[in-house]
Amino acid sequence: MAVSSGEGKTAGQEDPVRRESARQRAGEQGLLFDEQPATLPGDIGYRGPTACAAAGITYRQLDYWARTGLVEPTIRAAQGSGSQRLYSFRDILVLKVVKRLLDTGVSLQQIRTAVQHLRDRGVGDLSRITLMSDGVSVYECTSPDEVIDLLQGGQGVFGIALGRVWREVEGSLAELPGERAAVEDNVPADHPADELAQRRRARRLG
């Protein structure tokens, strides 16, 4: 199933006792994230080992996910022998979310759908999303009420507040090396400026 909105997924919302219990559980699990994370520079890239350390995954996982198109580096892809992938902050955030979904038993098909859904979101929107899952479907919640509705109805077995994951990744990357992407790193292969970028690289190598 595709990632669904959490709104309107439950019945029995008129029960104040169950609703308060669901609210408490959401609070205990850290799913009601209200703080707005800081916006990080979009031109800072992180190499594979750094991305792995911040996301809590192995390099083998990182490489496999990149080769299968699950999570690809958006700043610079590997291009031939010796080239280094560069991952953005957003990429690493998604990597960490994928790892958590896998750890909780969500199917790879569901994870691919969720990742595609997150790709379509703006960076600012990501910090306000909580992903909930019952182990079969993944639901997107964009408000505390939607999180509570799912918990109250028993559909949300676990949740991931992306704002909280954002803070965790931000804290990890503060102690890890990053590098500013060169202009040509973001130039598509068929871009008119690509020839100029190749000349610059040739001058540096020569």
Side-chain angles (χ1 to χ4, degrees), residues 15-204:
D15 187 336
V17 176
R18 289 181 62 192
R19 191 164 185 80
E20 181 56 32
S21 174
R23 183 182 295 277
Q24 289 178 0
R25 279 188 291 150
E28 291 168 0
Q29 295 176 40
L31 301 180
L32 305 180
F33 193 90
D34 298 322
E35 185 179 357
Q36 180 66 33
T39 300
L40 298 182
D43 59 347
I44 299 296
Y46 303 91
R47 297 194 177 195
T50 300
C52 289
I57 61 175
T58 67
Y59 194 85
R60 185 175 180 177
Q61 286 175 309
L62 183 80
D63 184 60
Y64 179 72
W65 295 348
R67 286 188 291 106
T68 58
L70 179 59
V71 184
E72 299 176 282
T74 57
I75 291 186
R76 185 174 66 207
Q79 298 173 344
S81 177
S83 65
Q84 292 280 344
R85 298 186 184 106
L86 276 186
Y87 289 82
S88 68
F89 177 88
R90 179 195 179 110
D91 298 335
I92 298 173
L93 176 71
V94 175
L95 286 169
K96 196 173 183 75
V97 169
V98 169
K99 172 67 161 53
R100 291 195 175 178
L101 290 172
L102 279 174
D103 288 347
T104 49
V106 177
S107 72
L108 191 57
Q109 181 180 358
Q110 275 289 306
I111 291 174
R112 286 189 180 277
T113 302
V115 167
Q116 183 58 53
H117 196 74
L118 294 178
R119 282 189 187 133
D120 297 337
R121 288 283 190 169
V123 175
D125 291 335
L126 291 180
S127 64
R128 293 190 291 269
I129 292 173
T130 296
L131 293 179
M132 304 289 292
S133 179
D134 52 11
V136 178
S137 300
V138 178
Y139 304 99
E140 175 195 282
C141 299
T142 56
S143 73
D145 283 342
E146 290 180 1
V147 173
I148 293 166
D149 287 347
L150 282 172
L151 286 174
Q152 180 181 333
Q155 288 173 284
V157 175
F158 70 91
I160 303 172
L162 268 65
R164 189 167 297 277
V165 178
W166 183 300
R167 282 297 192 202
E168 292 173 5
V169 172
E170 190 177 42
S172 298
L173 290 178
E175 302 175 359
L176 294 169
E179 57 188 78
R180 193 168 295 278
V183 173
E184 56 264 33
D185 287 339
N186 292 309
V187 176
D190 57 351
H191 194 282
D194 188 54
E195 183 179 352
L196 178 60
Q198 291 177 0
R199 289 177 183 173
R200 288 174 179 166
R201 281 194 291 268
R203 282 201 298 271
R204 287 203 300 268

